[in-house]
Structures are given as structure tokens and as C-alpha cells.
Amino acid sequence: MENWFYACKIEDVPANGGVCVKYKEEQIALFNFSRRGEWYATQNECPHRQQMALSRGMIGSQNDEPKVACPFHKKTFSLATGECLSGDECAIKTYAVKIEGDKIYINLHPSAPKGELETHELIA
Amino acid sequence: MKIVVIGNGMVGYKFCEKLVAKSQPQQFEVVVFGEEIRPAYDRVHLSEFFGGKSAEDLSMSPMDWYENNQIKLHLSDPVQSIDRTAKTVHSYHGITESYDILVLATGSSAFVPPIPGVDKEGVFIYRTIEDLEMMQSYSKKAKKGAVIGGGLLGLEAAKAMIDLGITDTAVIEFAPRLMPRQIDEAASGILANKLEQLGLKIHTSKNTSEILGDDCIKGMQFSDDTKIEVDMLVISAGIKPRDELAKLCGLEVGHRGGIVVNDKMQTADSFIYAIGECALHQGMIYGLVAPGYEMADVVASNLVSYINDDLSNTPLGVRGGEKAFLGFDMSTKLKLIGIDVASFGDPFINTNDTRTVVFEDTMKGIYKRINISGDGKYLLGGILVGDASAYNMLLQTSKNKVILPPNPEDMILGGRAGEAEGNGVLGLPDDAIICSCESVTKVGICKAVSEDGCETIDALKKCTKAGTGCGGCVPMVKDLMVHTMKSEGKYIRNVLCEHFAYSRQELYDLVKINKLKTYDEVLDTFGNGDGCELCKPPVASILASLWNDNILAKGNSTAQDSNDRFLANIQKGGSYSVVPRIPGGEITPDKLIVIGSVAKKYSLYTKITGGQRIDLFGAHLSDLPKIWEELIAAGFESGHAYGKSLRTVKSCVGSTWCRFGLHDSVSFAIQIEERYRGLRSPHKLKGGVSGCIRECAEAQSKDFGVIATEKGWNLYICGNGGSKPQHAQLLATDLDSETLIKYLDRFLMFYIKTADPLTRTATWLNKMEGGMSYLRNVVVNDSLGIAAELEVEMQTLVDSYKCEWKEAIENPAIRKQFSHFINAPEEKDPTMKFEAMREQKKVKDWS
Ligand code: SRM
Ligand SMILES: Cc1cc2nc3c(=O)[nH]c(=O)nc-3n(C[C@H](O)[C@H](O)[C@H](O)COP(=O)(O)OP(=O)(O)OC[C@H]3O[C@@H](n4cnc5c(N)ncnc54)[C@H](O)[C@@H]3O)c2cc1C
Ligand code: SF4
Ligand code: FES
């Protein structure tokens, strides 16, 4: 698979939290959902008020759906699908993540495979 | 069947929504024409546009809703003609669509009286978002405003003028009183008084004869030979149904406007319906949204039953369906400029065989009137101004003909409103309409709780739509939900969220007994799932209240609420604020200079806060540690402006300087602030110390307030500013300083242990059984025998206090988290934008 770019190291991302990764002009929120052993990447911009803030949000789950809450007005978005779980804000983009050794890679291409399976395999 | 809808306003939209909900996909082909540039939005809350809501916030449904439901929507394209023989409509942009059924939902426009000069620049109407945008840009050069019309819409427009910053505004009403159609003279008087207190000038019995000025409006001339200066005018004197299309194709319209319809909302042409504000039903135009929704429901239901019952051999249009519109109650409740105004049933009735009870408090600006049948059994109608909390109950009681209690006046005087309302809603019949915007009945709500398992207000809103319109029924919906759950034996506790089946108080005890130290340990031991933004902050707060470890210590940092996680409040645009502690508001000139030079160096906006200290706004995330490093070196420490913890203890200057001061309030305020600094609690805490009863420190509006007396200090507790201000109550009098601190230790610790998350002390006390006398017993008389324990716990926290910012800058692992880009730590967020204002900067407004 092409288009993978190196983001940062595993140790750079706090457990059960996020960081913001810069790639060219893009800002990507990268989340280490260590409680579930999963990694997620989404756009950093919250669609509600166009704030570059999702990476600073709290993550958690709602009926088992992994989600992030924007720090500004606590709109929540699914980390898996990007769908807005509170009201009708637009969905956010989600991206594929893979781990090799202690390095994290992100793929902005929409067709890149996402999901826990791949990341689990790669961690192991 | 193909349906064409003309008009994509509130009612036209509601019709589509109801049709989608009632029908199967593909049963109907729907095409909608809208004249405005955006899809339907909430006109009822139009004024909130000036309060910061965006056009999107007001939108009823986003564009993709129409797509997803296969509705073809032509915006900015008014229909210009209807050909009834060919059954087609023709639009401005040249689209011709045929129809089987045509629905007119063209609404109304503002009625503009024929006054010479109404076409001058600076004269506006108030109906659409475009109107508001034009007002907004014009208002920048206007100072003196006026509104023609003292009715519901006029007062709404007057509020808009205030929101636009034109506080010098006059309201011109032709009738002798305000809101002549809804409320009586006494109520109008009270309302006028309140509006005048807000700075509006009210002119009743005034007839405008001319609008003065050359191109732009300069003033208004009245028929009584008086005139006023005006540079911006809004005309909001009534509505005019948009029946021009109907007229053009020969449909019957009323002589004062409105498309004539029967009980099925059919016009003279049975293939054409009219709903909403353009429809004239039994001689009546309904200028409110709820009747329009009911009309939409009638037409949607009948069209669906026509298709489902497969009556295709009966000619469509002749058969109107079963459901009929039977008129509508015109009861209204409004919040005008923050003042409640409501009228219901027959507000004015006053005959020999009726009785009227009136309650009036001119001081507080409250007026309540109820009209009761002669036999005292039924409520016929009434008026509420200043306090409309009883509106829902009264409306339901009158609509459902509920037999009144022996002392009906209690309904408007009732001291314990909460209790009376709770019982009240249960006394209503099953088919009582609780939500009139969406016509949801009592039994509908109870069933959604018991059969569909809706056990939160959000779930109920989703499933029944109750409470999604004006929102006025939400308290009743909540009462019904709680009652239904209780009657099924469900124990209702304020559990934190889906991950913890415990209340905050229970969890506090469990965490303490089990000596748990991190969020994950608590979740593993007492919770389930992965946690969320609802349970993380309260658990993190409990851990901090119990153990006082640094809140960013490993394992807990990502459980903190976003502001705590970066030890600063996030602002619009993503910058942060810096608030060093300035205990009691006392600061040396040297420290002031340090704040000034730090602010200059990092280009921060500075402002004196309402809490007697200085806030520095606009810091980049990566600058925070550097800024704090400099401040700490100069002897400052964290002010915890970001935490649910002690904020400030305000002080007045006190006996050291003031000629009235009884004791040294500044020293005592500093002592108290330093004692409780950093104390994590269910919500924020504020205090105040005044040197005498003149109360310059406003101590009685704080969570705890201290006021000097000849013999010592009086201690007040559980006061609150915020949206529901409440004065603190006297706990004990003439205390010496040691006793006062003892009481404060006990009070604060008891609050920390027992309050729900995000509950200020005032709300905590309001919910406490036994109220102030119970709390006084616990704190002063040690009725629970826990006073000594509470004092020890507090002392432990006081002794273990450390400035968390100092620890943060000294710990490289924590410091590393303060960068915007993990892979470019030196770079700042390029999207953050500032503008200059009054020699400082401000954040660029969000769009
Ligand atoms: C800076 C300040 C306004 C000012 O320029 O004067 C302010 C600013 C904020 N207030 Fe306040 N409040 C400020 C004094 C007040 C006061 C007046 C007072 O303390 O004397 C009140 C009313 C008194 C009270 O709290 O009882 C006040 C009632 C609130 C409330 C409503 C609290 C309530 O219980 O209803 C909130 C919302 C909340 O806490 O949930 C709030 C929340 C906020 C937040 C934190 C909103 C936010 O989340 O971004 C604001 C950001 C501050 C920042 O970034 O530093 N602020 N706020 C004042 C800081 C005082 C200080 O030195 O710490
Ligand atoms: C400031 C304000 C405050 C209000 N407050 C309240 C309140 O508190 N409570 C309450 O119950 N009601 C209130 N109302 C009234 C409420 O907004 C109306 O009752 C409701 O909007 C009526 O809905 P409607 O669809 O009939 O008309 P509208 O919402 O006006 O929609 C009609 C739409 O049809 C369009 N149209 C007209 N002709 C054509 C054509 N030929 N082709 C295509 N499109 C066309 C119009 O542009 C418009 O978009 C308020 C109104 C205003 C203006
Ligand atoms: S009142 Fe407080 S919360 Fe509201 S805008 Fe002012 S500072 Fe912000
Ligand atoms: S900006 Fe994200 S929720 Fe408002």
C-alpha cells in the first residue's frame, strides 16, 4: 500500500489520548486508544465551529462505539466511522493507521484499509 | 403520486418530514420550491441569530436530509404561476413541474402600513435571515432605533435592536397598550415597566404619519404633532398572508388576505392544499407555528391513508381523508427580552358567572391572572407576566378541563412550585397534549418510557419528538419520565453515565475505601466499557479531592476535562488563557510589572477579571510552559481558573484603609484563599470577605461569604451568580476566625463528598432534604458525628497542596504535551488568527 507517511513514535502519544500530527498543510488527530489496543486517526478540525481541536479531546465509548468529544462544545464523533454522535454536525474524515515497530504511520488515502484488525496484527 | 410543495418554510418543511415519517419510500415523489436561498430554518428562534446562533444552527435539517429522502429541493426559485388545468407549476428559473397534489406553504410576509417614506434606507422588516443580515450591517452606523409594533413580533424586533447594540430604541404602538391581543391592561403595564427598565422607550396610542429624512431615515413624525429622531427603524406591525399565487390562479382568498381552506386544508381546488400562515381557516389566520404543524399533519396523514387504503378508483382530491383540522388553541408563552409573557385559554373573559384571581407584584414585575368558571371547577384562561413557570400546568389544566383543587389560587401563588407541578402532570388525562408543537400526548410519552425503553430526555426527544420544538414542555416530559420509571420499580439514581452505575457520592466512598489512584483502576474495579467525557472528569476530580496528586500525573492526564489537561482554559480559536493567583485581589507594583512584561513578550490580551485578578488571553499552547516559568520565577502560582476548584476569594479593602471597616478583610480573604487554593471539588468554588455590612466584596453572592461584625464574622454559604443567581444564606453569626475556618472546612468537605458532578453549592443545598437547617446541624452541631473527620481530611489536603504549574514545568514528560504538533513541536497552529482591537489583540470571530 502506498501513501503511508511516518507520523511519530508510539511513546509520543499519551495512553487513551491524542496528539496532532502535521502532514504538509493537513492537521491530523491521532489517538492511542490503549484501553482497547486500537489506534485511530481523524481530521483535527471539529466541523461544529471549525476549530483545530479534536486531538485535544477526551476519548471514550458510547455503546461500544469508540468516540472523541471536542473540547469546545463536547460534540462527539465516532472514531471508527467519523459520524457525529451528538446531533447533526457533519461527519469527520477518518484515516488508516499502521504500526511498525515503535513507529506510527498514517494514510490519508480514503481507500486505505482501516480498522482494528490490521493494527492489532501489526502490533503483535 | 407526485406532490409539489411551494414554500420551504417551517410548515412546508414539517409537511415533508411528516410525509417521510408516515409513508414508505417511493410512495410519493416530492418536489419542493423555496424562494429563500437556504433550506427551511427555525423562524421562531430567528432572534437568536443575533445572540450568536448561525444560520446552520437554526436550520431544520441539512441539505443532505432532502437528498437522503429523495426530495427534490429547488432553492432560490420561487414559483411564479400555477396552471390548474394542466396541473403544472412554473418557476422563476423556468422549471415546469407537473403535480398530482399541490401544497401551498407560502407563509406570510411582514405587513407594512402605507406610511409615506417607508421605502427610505434604514427601514427594515423582520422575517428572514437576510433581513437580519441587512440589519446587522446597517446597525453599525445607527445609534437611535425604533420599532413600529408593540405586539409579539414588534417586541421580538426590539430585542433584536438591543442585541445589535442599539439600546436607545423606541417601541411605537398604535393601540393604547402593548400586546393588545394576548394580555390585559394591567399585564401590559407591568411589561412596559420592565421594558423601560431595560432602556426601551414605550410609546402607546401613537400613529406614525411620516418617515422623515432624505435618502436615509432621520426621524419619525406622529399624527399628534410630536416627532423623534431615528436612524434605524424596524416595521413589525403584523403579517400579510402570501396568497398572491393563489389569487393569480383564481383560488378563493379572504378579503383581508389568506387562502380559504376547509377542514382538510383543501382550497377551492380540491387538488390544491394550503397550510401554515398562508391558509385562512374559518376566518382565521394562525400566526403561530404549532397550528401550522397540525395542518401539515392533517394533509400528510390524509394523503398517506389515501395511498395505503388504495382508493385509487375514488377520484383523488375529492376524497379528503379522515383527519380534520379543528381550529387550534392560541395559547402562547414567550420569552421577550428575558421576560416571560404567556397567555392561554380565554385570557380576557370577565362575565358575571366567571371569577378572576389576580396576583400582582409591581416591585418584582410579576403579574398573574387566572379566570375560573363560576362554580370554581374549571380553569378558563389566564395571563402570566414576569414568571411563567406555571404556564404548562395551567394550560394543560384548562385544556383538559381538569377539576380544580379547592384553592385554585395556589396554582399561581404556590410556594412549592416544583411539587405542585409534579403532582399536577400526573393528574392529567392520558390524552392530554404535553408537547403542543409536536402533538405528543401524555400516554405517548409514558409508553415511550415503558415500552420503548426511553429513559433519558434525549432518547425521548429522538423517539417521540416531544420537546424538540419550543422546548417549553421539557420539565413536564422529565416529570413523566421519572414517574413512569419509578412506578415500574426502577430506582432512579444520578448515575454518572453508561460506564458507571454509581452516583458521584457512592463512587467517592468506593474509591476512598479501595484506595484507587488512577482513572483506569476505578473503571476496571467499578465501571465497564471504556469511559467517556461524562465520567472521566468527575472521577478525575474525585481522585484529586481524595489524594491531591498532580492531576497530570501519569495515567490521569487524559482523564481530565480538556481545560484541566492543559492547565488552562481553551478559548475561541484554540488559544489558552493564563490566570495567576492574586489572593484577595492584593498585588504589589512589582508583580504588576511582571504581568505586564510577560503579557507584552508573549503578545497576550490582558483584562481585569470579575474575580479581582488579571487574565492573560491568547497564549499558544506551546508558550504556556514558558509563560508560567516566568510567572512562577516572579513568585506567582496557578490560579486554577481552569479547574473545578477554588477560584478567588474576593475582598474589600477593609479596616486597614476604609473608615467603616470593622476588621481586616483583606488579610482574612488571603488566609482563606491560600488555605483552599487548588482544592478540587464537584464544581468551582468562590468566596468573598467584606469588612462591614456595606458588603463591597459581594460576599453574599458566593459559595461562601464572610462579613465582619462588631464581635467577629458572620458566615454565609451556598450563594451563586451564574444564570440562576441566588443569595448565600446565613450559617452562623459572630464567629472568631478559628471557628469560622473550622466550619468552612466541614462545609466544603461535606460538599465535596456528597454533591453530584457539576453541581454548585447553591443547587446542592436546594436539592438537600431538610435544606439549610439540616446542613447547619451537620456543620455547626455535628449531628452526623463526622465533623472531626471532615476537618482532618481537609487539613490533609491543605498540607499536601503544591502548585501544579510548577510541577508541570519541571517535569519534561508533562512539558512535552504542550505542543500543537507532535511531529513539529516548534510550530504553532497556523489556523489561529488574531485581529487588533483597542491597542491589544482579539481572536478572530468564528464563522
Ligand atoms: C475571566 C472571567 C470574566 C471576566 O473577564 O471578568 C470569566 C470567564 C469565564 N467564565 Fe466566569 N468568569 C469570570 C467571573 C465569573 C463570575 C463573577 C465572579 O466570580 O465574581 C461569575 C458569577 C459568579 C458565580 O460563579 O457564582 C461567573 C460565572 C461563570 C459560570 C456560571 C457558573 C454557574 O454556576 O452557573 C460559568 C460556566 C461554568 O462554570 O460552568 C463560567 C465560565 C467561564 C469560562 C471559564 C468559560 C469557559 O469555559 O471558557 C470563561 C473563561 C475564562 C478564561 O479563559 O480565563 N463563569 N464567572 C472572570 C474570571 C474570574 C476569575 O478571576 O477567576
Ligand atoms: C421574528 C419572529 C418570531 C416568531 N416567534 C414565534 C413564536 O415565538 N411562536 C410561534 O408559534 N410563532 C412565532 N413566529 C411565527 C412562525 O415563525 C410562523 O408561524 C411560521 O414560520 C409559519 O410557517 P410557514 O411555513 O407557514 O411560513 P414561513 O416560515 O414564512 O415559510 C414560507 C416560505 O415560503 C416561501 N415562499 C413564499 N412564496 C413562495 C413561492 N411563490 N415560491 C416558493 N417559495 C415561496 C417563503 O420565502 C418562505 O420561505 C415568529 C415569526 C417571526 C418572524
Ligand atoms: S459571562 Fe463568562 S462565560 Fe459568558 S462570555 Fe462572559 S466570560 Fe464567557
Ligand atoms: S467546535 Fe467542536 S464542538 Fe463546537
Side-chain angles (χ1 to χ4, degrees), chain B residues 707-822:
Chain B
I707 300 177
T709 65
E710 298 282 349
K711 296 185 211 136
W713 307 99
N714 283 352
L715 175 57
Y716 296 79
I717 55 171
C718 300
N720 201 157
S723 59
K724 271 205 185 137
Q726 183 169 323
H727 273 144
Q729 297 179 35
L730 187 61
L731 178 77
T733 51
D734 296 328
L735 303 172
D736 58 65
S737 306
E738 289 79 62
T739 317
L740 189 141
I741 288 193
K742 234 191 213 170
Y743 286 177
L744 267 182
D745 281 0
R746 298 175 184 175
F747 157 65
L748 292 173
M749 213 57 223
F750 189 50
Y751 163 66
I752 289 172
K753 293 176 93 143
T754 61
D756 280 331
L758 296 182
T759 306
R760 289 286 290 269
T761 54
T763 321
W764 170 67
L765 176 64
N766 295 347
K767 285 193 197 160
M768 192 181 292
E769 255 173 71
M772 190 61 190
S773 51
Y774 175 80
L775 185 55
R776 184 178 293 114
N777 258 328
V778 175
V779 173
V780 178
N781 306 327
D782 193 14
S783 59
L784 299 180
I786 55 170
E789 186 191 331
L790 296 174
E791 286 168 38
V792 170
E793 284 168 337
M794 182 61 85
Q795 193 57 47
T796 319
L797 291 176
V798 171
D799 293 340
S800 59
Y801 165 81
K802 291 195 196 79
C803 170
E804 52 205 22
W805 257 117
K806 184 160 187 292
E807 294 183 284
I809 56 171
E810 287 167 357
N811 181 331
I814 297 182
R815 245 187 120 134
K816 185 177 154 194
Q817 300 182 13
F818 290 86
S819 61
H820 185 69
F821 294 115
I822 190 71

Side-chain angles (χ1 to χ4, degrees), chain A residues 46-51 54 70-75 77, chain B residues 846:
Chain A
C46 174
H48 176 228
R49 290 291 192 188
Q50 289 78 49
Q51 300 289 303
L54 292 178
C70 174
F72 278 90
H73 312 96
K74 300 269 156 77
K75 302 265 180 198
F77 301 89
Chain B
W846 46 34

Side-chain angles (χ1 to χ4, degrees), chain B residues 276-476:
Chain B
E277 280 190 352
C278 63
L280 182 69
H281 177 261
Q282 308 249 355
M284 178 92 177
I285 295 279
Y286 290 91
L288 293 175
V289 73
Y293 282 7
E294 174 68 15
M295 295 176 190
D297 191 64
V298 167
V299 179
S301 304
N302 289 342
L303 291 175
V304 170
S305 73
Y306 175 84
I307 290 251
N308 287 348
D309 302 351
D310 193 20
L311 296 162
S312 33
N313 46 356
T314 13
L316 171 72
V318 172
R319 193 195 130 87
E322 297 309 322
K323 206 165 168 168
F325 180 77
L326 302 170
F328 208 87
D329 188 84
M330 288 296 277
S331 305
T332 29
K333 177 179 161 197
L334 308 158
K335 208 175 194 70
L336 289 166
I337 322 190
I339 305 165
D340 279 337
V341 179
S343 73
F344 60 94
D346 187 337
F348 304 119
I349 196 167
N350 187 10
T351 56
N352 285 341
D353 56 350
T354 57
R355 292 195 282 150
T356 292
V357 182
V358 171
F359 167 82
E360 193 172 342
D361 180 341
T362 42
M363 273 278 285
K364 287 196 183 141
I366 295 176
Y367 176 85
K368 301 180 185 180
R369 161 181 177 164
I370 48 176
N371 309 320
I372 296 165
S373 63
D375 55 10
K377 276 194 183 153
Y378 301 107
L379 181 60
L380 305 175
I383 297 169
L384 304 166
V385 174
D387 169 15
S389 51
Y391 170 74
N392 274 311
M393 250 342 285
L394 293 173
L395 173 66
Q396 297 302 334
T397 307
S398 95
K399 261 198 186 127
N400 294 294
K401 308 217 161 32
V402 177
I403 305 278
L404 293 177
N407 298 315
E409 59 276 13
D410 286 354
M411 289 191 300
I412 50 173
L413 305 176
R416 263 171 273 145
E419 225 172 88
E421 274 183 58
N423 291 337
V425 79
L426 306 180
L428 294 174
D430 277 354
D431 56 358
I433 302 277
I434 302 296
C435 170
S436 31
C437 296
E438 294 284 344
S439 309
V440 188
T441 58
K442 176 179 166 189
V443 66
I445 290 165
C446 296
K447 273 204 178 137
V449 177
S450 56
E451 290 169 19
D452 307 331
C454 300
E455 300 190 343
T456 62
I457 289 289
D458 278 345
L460 274 172
K461 278 187 176 173
K462 269 211 177 116
C463 148
T464 64
K465 292 208 154 251
T468 56
C470 69
C473 61
V474 171
M476 287 170 95

Side-chain angles (χ1 to χ4, degrees), chain A residues 5-8 11-23 25-27 33 35-36 44 47-53 55-64 66-74 76 85 88-89, chain B residues 52-54 56-57 59 62 462 498-499 520 523-524 528-534 536-537 557-563 565-566 570-576 621 816-817 819-824 827 829-832 846-847:
Chain A
F5 74 89
Y6 167 65
C8 58
E11 63 184 43
D12 292 333
V13 192
N16 295 309
V19 293
C20 173
V21 177
K22 181 177 158 80
Y23 179 65
E25 297 311 304
E26 300 274 339
Q27 298 198 14
F33 208 142
R35 204 181 158 75
R36 298 163 62 128
N44 192 33
H48 176 228
R49 290 291 192 188
Q50 289 78 49
Q51 300 289 303
M52 285 296 181
S55 60
R56 301 180 202 169
M58 273 180 277
I59 60 173
S61 67
Q62 174 174 329
N63 299 324
D64 230 34
K67 64 169 183 175
V68 60
C70 174
F72 278 90
H73 312 96
K74 300 269 156 77
T76 53
L85 304 173
D88 9 86
E89 274 344 296
Chain B
K53 281 220 173 159
S54 65
E56 266 160 62
D57 293 332
S59 173
K462 269 211 177 116
E498 65 178 67
H499 306 108
D520 273 349
L523 185 60
D524 289 337
N528 59 77
D530 312 309
C532 67
E533 74 283 1
L534 295 176
K536 287 185 172 180
S557 70
T558 51
Q560 305 295 335
D561 210 337
S562 316
N563 285 344
R565 180 164 167 213
F566 296 105
I570 193 164
Q571 314 292 348
K572 261 167 88 166
S575 70
Y576 285 87
L621 185 58
K816 185 177 154 194
Q817 300 182 13
S819 61
H820 185 69
F821 294 115
I822 190 71
N823 53 347
E827 279 181 48
D829 180 358
T831 65
M832 219 189 269
W846 46 34
S847 38

